[in-house]
Amino acid sequence: MTAPARTKTSVPPQSSGSPTIWIDGEWCERGSATVSVYDHGFLYGDGVFEGIRVYGGRIFRLEEHLDRLYDSAKAVWLNIPMDKEELAGVTREAVSRSGIAEAYIRHIVTRGVGDLGLDPRKCPKPSVIIIVDTIKLWPEQMYETGLNVITAGTPIPQRESLSPRVKSLNYLAHILAKVEGINAGADEVLMLDSAGSVAEGSGQNVFVVKKGRIRTPPAHAGILKGVTRDAVIELAADAGYPVEQTILNRYDLYTADEAFFTGTASEIVGIRQLDGRVIGTGKPGPVTRDLRSRFHALVRS
Ligand code: PMP
């Protein structure tokens, strides 16, 4: 069966919101957006990606996300075959064509099409894909109640094997951790590094609040350096909360007044319980709620 033909770049922007996909210079619709089974992103997870939010038609921190995408690619010897400004331009066009004001953008850069061997030299050209669609991780009510979280037995990948700073297409460790949480009936998981220190959620960074002080693991602790995390650190500092980036243990979460996750898709979401220990009052606390409303103001500003 042949893949449905893709539409060329001359297609006029859509007026009503619908998913819009760009693959190596061609605009596609969801049903016709296909990649080769010989693409090494598909065969081996050989590639990198980004996730970005659009609020009211405006892209939140595009530059920071693209910086991270190009750094991730560089770290795995992947040359993105277009420069950042060009990719930013196509990204903006994709958002405007989609007509989705509250969107989620996914950038994917794969090693490209090769043969069945690992050797990336067999892949002459990396593939660049942009998807503009919507995303919703948690129902609104979860932001009121906070999440029930367990610690996953699966640690984050060893830093010297594949740096967690690289947002790579290898998410299996995080997916296994997520499934552990699902099997246990939890809303989300906390992942540790192989030494047992607190790292991150399955797709979020983690913060604790104790006596008005905010703490989060440092970027070098083996986490993805979240764009939302960085925005929250700035907002917290502006609001006068002392913020410290330091190694955390689960004890620090069990005994915190508040704990919360941050991420592009989930924004800021409180943790009400970890491994059966109720955190603080058992619902998102005042600092979490304050930062959440400051974050909402920031993304709409
Ligand atoms: N850690 C992991 C493993 C993630 O996948 C994400 C989501 N990108 C984050 C943290 C949060 O990063 P950001 O705030 O940039 O979305």
Side-chain angles (χ1 to χ4, degrees):
M1 204 178 92
T2 50
R6 290 178 194 154
T7 337
K8 292 281 181 190
T9 38
S10 54
V11 167
Q14 294 152 3
S15 50
S16 63
S18 61
T20 297
I21 298 139
W22 185 88
I23 305 180
D24 295 325
E26 295 183 354
W27 296 100
C28 320
E29 285 170 9
R30 197 175 161 142
S32 62
T34 52
V35 292
S36 165
V37 293
Y38 286 89
D39 190 302
H40 280 210
F42 176 74
L43 284 173
Y44 301 117
D46 188 353
V48 295
F49 76 104
E50 265 306 318
I52 313 179
R53 281 289 278 269
V54 176
Y55 294 97
R58 285 164 51 198
I59 305 174
F60 182 65
R61 303 219 161 167
L62 176 62
E63 196 182 329
E64 286 83 345
H65 281 285
L66 291 187
D67 283 349
R68 188 171 68 183
L69 182 72
Y70 279 76
D71 285 347
S72 290
K74 185 170 186 193
V76 300
W77 286 289
L78 184 55
N79 277 326
I80 301 181
M82 56 200 292
D83 67 27
K84 254 184 231 177
E85 287 65 38
E86 202 188 338
L87 186 54
V90 186
T91 305
R92 286 193 200 94
E93 186 181 349
V95 170
S96 107
R97 279 171 176 261
S98 78
I100 309 174
E102 305 298 313
Y104 180 83
I105 310 168
R106 167 62 45 88
H107 289 91
I108 306 153
V109 183
T110 75
R111 189 75 62 182
V113 175
D115 64 14
L116 293 179
L118 282 181
D119 190 342
R121 288 174 300 184
K122 301 285 178 55
C123 308
K125 192 168 181 284
S127 244
V128 182
I129 298 167
I130 304 170
I131 304 171
V132 181
D133 205 329
T134 53
I135 198 164
K136 192 157 184 76
L137 282 200
W138 321 110
E140 207 45 46
Q141 157 251 340
M142 290 262 207
Y143 291 89
E144 300 304 322
T145 58
L147 304 179
N148 175 23
V149 177
I150 61 157
T151 304
T154 310
I156 54 161
Q158 226 264 338
R159 198 175 50 217
E160 301 316 320
S161 158
L162 173 62
S163 172
R165 295 286 298 272
V166 175
K167 199 165 169 58
S168 82
L169 295 181
N170 292 254
Y171 253 56
L172 257 185
H174 291 77
I175 292 167
L176 297 184
K178 180 84 193 162
V179 174
E180 287 182 50
I182 293 167
N183 289 344
D187 301 317
E188 179 51 20
V189 287
L190 179 72
M191 295 180 75
L192 309 178
D193 65 16
S194 23
S197 298
V198 167
E200 58 190 355
S202 66
Q204 295 103 0
N205 294 115
V206 65
F207 286 74
V208 296
V209 185
K210 180 86 172 176
K211 297 194 194 312
R213 298 180 70 82
I214 299 179
R215 284 178 298 159
T216 193
H220 64 76
I223 57 166
L224 184 79
K225 190 168 177 287
V227 172
T228 321
R229 167 192 184 275
D230 291 351
V232 166
I233 290 172
E234 286 164 32
L235 286 174
D238 288 350
Y241 300 110
V243 186
E244 200 188 343
Q245 299 183 45
T246 184
I247 297 293
L248 297 174
N249 301 310
R250 280 189 298 172
Y251 171 86
D252 298 306
L253 273 87
Y254 296 151
T255 57
D257 297 330
E258 302 178 35
F260 59 88
F261 284 125
T262 65
T264 294
S266 56
E267 301 178 324
I268 299 175
V269 59
I271 302 173
R272 71 166 193 276
Q273 176 166 311
L274 174 65
D275 301 332
R277 279 84 157 180
V278 170
I279 296 180
T281 60
K283 53 184 200 297
V287 177
T288 307
R289 282 187 279 115
D290 182 27
L291 288 172
R292 194 167 150 70
S293 71
R294 287 172 190 272
F295 183 75
H296 283 155
L298 173 71
V299 298
R300 306 264 168 211
S301 65

